[in-house]
């Protein structure tokens, strides 16, 4: 199998989750959508949970890459995490919609998917805690950021941009936040 096969499978899975929901995700359906045999899919992922867990980890890697690009432009982890909803790209929104679909699939069942979600979330927490010395403030930033993304995912009405900026400034103790 070519190195691109694994990504094609994960792309197909992500698209199916977004368009059809978890109930339509089977190994056979994902293999068909990815244009591979079921055996080809099983070569890369021996179970549906392993495939979904791999997608979660890939989403985490994509998010980390987006954060790194923001950091190269001078944006801190906290600023990136608290960006206003209108700054969240279509690509990021799709990425997080897939994450939400995956989180629904966990549905209280511990296992490989839950472990992958926990790993990704732990890495984001570590980034905030490394940057923000006060653990309470770091946790507040994480919770507010999660709320901002959830609002963007659900396409809730936009908040007042000035108020959003004031919230970020208060949380981060800055006068000027990008």
């Amino acid at each position: 199998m070519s190195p691109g096969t694994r990504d094609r499978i994960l792309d197909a899975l992500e698209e199916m989750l977004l368009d059809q929901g978890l109930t339509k995700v089977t190994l056979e359906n994902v293999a068909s959508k990815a244009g591979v045999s079921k055996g080809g899919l099983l070569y890369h992922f021996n179970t549906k949970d392993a495939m979904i867990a791999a997608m979660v980890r890939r989403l985490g890697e994509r998010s980390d890459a987006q954060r790194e690009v923001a950091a190269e432009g001078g944006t801190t982890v906290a600023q990136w995490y608290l960006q206003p909803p209108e700054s969240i790209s279509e690509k990021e929104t799709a990425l997080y919609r897939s994450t939400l679909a995956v989180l629904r699939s966990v549905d209280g069942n511990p296992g490989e998917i839950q472990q992958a979600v926990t790993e990704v979330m732990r890495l984001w927490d570590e980034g905030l805690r490394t940057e923000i010395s006060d653990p309470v403030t770091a946790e507040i930033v994480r919770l507010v950021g999660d709320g901002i993304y959830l609002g963007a995912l659900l396409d809730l009405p936009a908040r007042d941009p000035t108020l959003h900026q004031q919230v970020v400034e208060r949380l981060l103790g800055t006068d000027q936040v990008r």
Side-chain angles (χ1 to χ4, degrees):
M1 298 275 148
S2 68
T5 301
R6 184 178 192 280
D7 281 330
R8 270 200 344 266
I9 293 167
L10 295 177
D11 289 343
L13 169 62
E14 191 173 333
E15 191 175 322
M16 288 184 74
L17 282 168
L18 289 168
D19 295 343
Q20 301 169 12
L22 185 65
T23 58
K24 298 293 183 187
V25 172
T26 64
L27 294 176
E28 294 83 6
N29 288 345
V30 174
S32 175
K33 183 154 192 70
V36 300
S37 67
K38 185 175 176 185
L41 183 144
L42 290 171
Y43 173 81
H44 292 281
F45 308 105
N46 59 351
T47 66
K48 180 177 165 181
D49 282 0
M51 182 176 58
I52 293 173
M55 188 193 80
V56 169
R57 289 183 180 102
R58 186 175 79 158
L59 292 171
E61 290 166 7
R62 286 181 184 170
S63 180
D64 288 345
Q66 290 170 350
R67 186 181 42 76
E68 287 173 17
V69 167
E72 289 170 5
T75 301
T76 67
V77 173
Q79 290 168 331
W80 179 82
Y81 212 81
L82 296 171
Q83 64 186 301
E86 58 273 8
S87 299
I88 300 170
S89 70
E90 292 277 331
K91 190 174 183 179
E92 284 176 301
T93 300
L95 191 145
Y96 286 101
R97 280 197 176 114
S98 292
T99 303
L100 282 178
V102 167
L103 290 174
R104 286 194 333 226
S105 78
V106 173
D107 200 23
N109 298 319
E112 193 169 0
I113 299 169
Q114 177 67 44
Q115 181 181 350
V117 170
T118 300
E119 288 169 12
V120 169
M121 298 304 288
R122 188 174 295 129
L123 288 174
W124 293 341
D125 281 347
E126 287 172 9
L128 286 171
R129 291 179 197 283
T130 298
E131 184 175 287
I132 301 170
S133 59
D134 175 34
V136 172
T137 301
E139 181 67 4
I140 291 169
V141 167
R142 185 186 66 78
L143 293 170
V144 171
D146 290 349
I148 291 167
Y149 273 88
L150 183 61
L153 291 174
L154 298 175
D155 202 24
L156 296 177
R159 299 286 177 223
D160 175 9
T162 303
L163 180 59
H164 179 95
Q165 181 67 23
Q166 290 169 341
V167 168
V168 171
E169 289 172 2
R170 181 169 301 168
L171 280 175
L172 302 181
T174 61
D175 296 323
Q176 178 88 19
V177 177
R178 293 177 193 201

